[in-house]
């Protein structure tokens, strides 16, 4: 398979939430999401309950995929930053570590300059966390670690989902 | 590529409905959406043209329940079926965990089915996937139409590798959940193997 399964552990999850929590304050943002390039929501901080986070994650990934396709057409590797300006709210979308998408929603209490500046710093921290995460899951996979929750499920468990 | 989150104890998987234009991919998702309890589904998103043809994708998040304390979520996507949207189709296949090929049973659509199936194979290969190694299911849709070919004929043309197949009529919902359950099960069995 071309992509290994993305696995998230408690330790890294907390580290990630610390970084984006800090970014939320420093950038004066309304809400921040981290989304996998395949459209799965990884985490969110701020006023997340105001939004349909699942849809937001899927559309963001679709957006990044479409602009990535455009980039390739003109000979670019990818467009690593997208900015959408609305009347009140704006979206700053950037690719972190080539793998995850950082979405920052902000209004007129912040500015594009501030968001860009803060995102740059946080992106480096996030990249490191995700690199470690990848290494960790590769190592666990090599060891054949038994904490994989699906290793011991039975056919009955699966059937029960559909009953 | 599934996403396993130990922190929130969730497993997310991606299912893609593929097939020629107007074969009923969006109709499959609409039926699932209509018949699923409110607490088990999210909002269905359709990025469609003004004439209701899929432009980019349809998206439906489903939450099936728990396995061993892990919430199991499936994200259902359709691709745009029309031939000229190939660039968009490739994008939707990224990170796919399981594929449903929706075939149009009408005789005049057999060439379109074959072309779309070849296109699926090629596009998956570009992403580094092999259709024969993925959880993959065929649905023969529009069984109710008078011009429908027999299942034997369809199987000969479209299912040489004998993957699980289902007859369906997506507008009335016949076969829709059977198809979904079967592909979801294949994905979970695949995960169990630890692929």
């Amino acid at each position: 398979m071309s992509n290994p399964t993305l696995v998230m552990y408690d330790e890294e999850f907390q580290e990630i939430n610390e970084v984006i929590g800090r970014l939320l304050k420093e950038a004066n943002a309304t809400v921040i999401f981290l989304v996998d390039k395949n459209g799965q929501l990884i985490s969110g901080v701020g006023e997340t309950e105001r939004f349909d986070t699942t849809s937001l994650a899927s559309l963001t990934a679709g957006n990044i995929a479409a602009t990535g396709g455009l980039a390739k057409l003109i000979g670019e590797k990818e467009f690593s930053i997208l900015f959408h300006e609305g009347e009140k709210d704006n979206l700053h979308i950037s690719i972190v570590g080539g793998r995850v998408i950082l979405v920052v929603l902000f209004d007129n209490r912040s500015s594009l300059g501030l968001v860009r500046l803060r995102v740059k710093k946080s992106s480096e921290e996030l990249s490191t966390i995700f690199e470690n995460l990848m290494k960790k899951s590769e190592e666990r996979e090599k060891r054949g670690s038994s904490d994989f929750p699906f290793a011991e499920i039975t056919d009955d468990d699966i059937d029960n989902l559909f009953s | 590529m599934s996403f396993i989150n130990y922190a929130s104890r969730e497993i997310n998987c991606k299912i893609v409905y593929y097939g020629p234009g107007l074969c009923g991919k969006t109709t499959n998702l609409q039926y699932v959406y209509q018949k699923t309890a409110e607490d088990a589904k999210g909002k269905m998103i359709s990025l469609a043209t003004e004439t209701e043809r899929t432009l980019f994708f349809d998206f439906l998040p489903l939450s099936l329940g728990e396995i061993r304390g892990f919430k199991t979520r499936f994200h259902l996507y359709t691709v745009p079926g029309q031939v000229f949207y190939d660039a968009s189709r490739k994008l939707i296949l990224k990170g796919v965990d399981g594929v449903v090929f929706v075939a149009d049973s009408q005789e005049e659509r057999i060439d379109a089915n074959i072309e779309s199936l070849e296109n699926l194979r090629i596009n998956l290969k570009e992403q580094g996937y092999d259709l024969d190694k993925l959880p993959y299911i065929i649905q023969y849709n529009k069984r109710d139409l008078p011009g429908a070919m027999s299942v034997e004929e369809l199987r000969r043309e479209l299912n040489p590798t004998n993957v699980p197949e289902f007859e369906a009529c997506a507008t009335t919902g016949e076969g829709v959940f059977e198809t979904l359950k079967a592909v979801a099960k294949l994905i979970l069995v695949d995960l169990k193997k630890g692929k």
Side-chain angles (χ1 to χ4, degrees):
Chain A
M1 202 142 300
S2 61
N3 288 318
T5 298
L6 175 63
V7 181
M8 176 66 67
Y9 301 101
D10 277 321
E11 192 189 342
E12 283 76 11
F13 192 65
Q14 276 167 16
E15 287 175 14
I16 286 167
N17 282 338
E18 268 170 39
V19 175
I20 57 176
R22 205 179 325 126
L23 176 61
L24 183 82
K25 285 197 201 110
E26 290 180 351
N28 246 347
T30 317
V31 58
I32 295 179
F33 295 108
L34 258 188
V35 178
D36 176 56
K37 265 193 170 177
N38 300 318
Q40 322 271 18
L41 181 72
I42 297 171
S43 188
V45 291
E47 300 170 26
T48 50
E49 67 288 344
R50 268 178 56 202
F51 301 92
D52 176 352
T53 50
T54 314
S55 299
L56 201 135
S58 158
L59 286 174
T60 305
N63 194 346
I64 283 286
T67 41
L70 282 175
K72 286 203 179 70
L73 281 180
I74 64 161
E76 278 289 328
K77 191 171 147 265
E78 64 185 10
F79 294 123
S80 52
I81 296 176
L82 309 179
F83 175 57
H84 301 304
E85 187 176 322
E87 277 179 17
K88 280 186 294 196
D89 293 308
N90 314 292
L91 275 176
H92 183 283
I93 302 175
S94 54
I95 301 174
V96 174
R99 160 129 210 185
V100 290
I101 306 166
L102 179 64
V103 185
V104 180
L105 190 139
F106 64 97
D107 56 21
N108 55 16
R109 286 171 291 179
S110 184
S111 69
L112 178 57
L114 179 67
V115 170
R116 281 190 77 145
L117 183 73
R118 301 298 189 200
V119 161
K120 203 174 171 195
K121 187 172 151 243
S122 302
S123 292
E124 286 164 14
E125 292 176 54
L126 288 171
S127 291
T128 314
I129 298 172
F130 275 98
E131 264 169 41
N132 291 340
L133 188 63
M134 291 304 149
K135 272 188 214 142
K136 193 166 166 180
S137 47
E138 270 170 31
E139 278 165 20
R140 288 203 182 197
E141 203 167 303
K142 268 186 213 149
R143 284 208 313 264
S145 176
S146 62
D147 60 358
F148 190 69
F150 271 53
E152 55 192 55
I153 60 165
T154 61
D155 285 354
D156 283 346
D157 284 335
I158 296 176
D159 284 333
N160 284 340
L161 270 188
F162 300 104
S163 57
Chain B
M1 188 208 68
S2 48
F3 171 36
I4 302 175
N5 190 336
Y6 285 91
S8 56
R9 301 193 75 73
E10 280 178 12
I11 291 193
N12 291 295
C13 304
K14 178 172 178 176
I15 299 173
V16 174
Y17 283 71
Y18 211 93
L22 295 175
C23 69
K25 301 174 288 296
T26 301
T27 314
N28 260 274
L29 256 66
Q30 281 167 341
Y31 187 81
V32 172
Y33 181 77
Q34 283 163 20
K35 296 291 172 190
T36 306
E38 285 296 327
D39 57 346
K41 69 185 175 191
K43 207 171 144 196
M44 178 162 166
I45 290 177
S46 286
L47 302 179
T49 66
E50 284 175 0
T51 52
E52 308 255 310
R53 300 297 302 272
T54 303
L55 180 62
F56 194 4
F57 58 81
D58 303 302
F59 167 68
L60 175 61
L62 285 184
S63 170
L64 279 187
E66 290 194 0
I67 288 190
R68 306 259 156 166
F70 275 75
K71 280 179 232 142
T72 316
R73 296 222 166 95
F74 286 90
H75 289 179
L76 275 47
Y77 285 83
T78 67
V79 297
Q82 294 176 83
V83 177
F84 55 89
Y85 287 136
D86 198 39
S88 307
R89 265 196 298 280
K90 287 180 193 175
L91 300 177
I92 314 296
L93 284 175
K94 277 186 186 168
V96 65
D97 294 302
V99 178
V100 174
F101 184 82
V102 182
D104 189 329
S105 295
Q106 298 175 95
E107 196 163 6
E108 63 265 32
R109 296 299 284 163
I110 188 66
D111 289 341
N113 288 326
I114 293 170
E115 189 186 353
S116 176
L117 196 53
E118 276 172 12
N119 177 256
L120 168 63
R121 220 170 249 287
I122 292 166
N123 285 345
L124 279 173
K125 207 170 172 186
E126 268 183 35
Q127 314 271 354
Y129 295 104
D130 180 351
L131 181 62
D132 297 325
K133 289 183 184 146
L134 268 183
Y136 161 52
I137 272 176
I138 296 185
Q139 179 189 77
Y140 304 122
N141 193 23
K142 307 197 186 186
R143 297 306 302 156
D144 57 323
L145 293 189
M149 291 167 72
S150 73
V151 171
E152 289 72 32
E153 284 174 298
L154 287 164
R155 184 180 299 138
R156 200 165 52 235
E157 297 287 350
L158 304 173
N159 192 8
T161 51
N162 265 320
V163 298
E165 52 186 21
F166 293 87
E167 293 183 55
C169 171
T171 47
T172 61
E174 199 184 314
V176 169
F177 274 97
E178 287 80 353
T179 309
L180 174 61
K181 280 177 192 176
V183 74
K185 198 169 169 181
L186 284 185
I187 293 172
L188 293 174
V189 170
D190 223 37
L191 266 180
K192 187 181 159 184
K193 286 185 211 148
K195 274 186 187 172

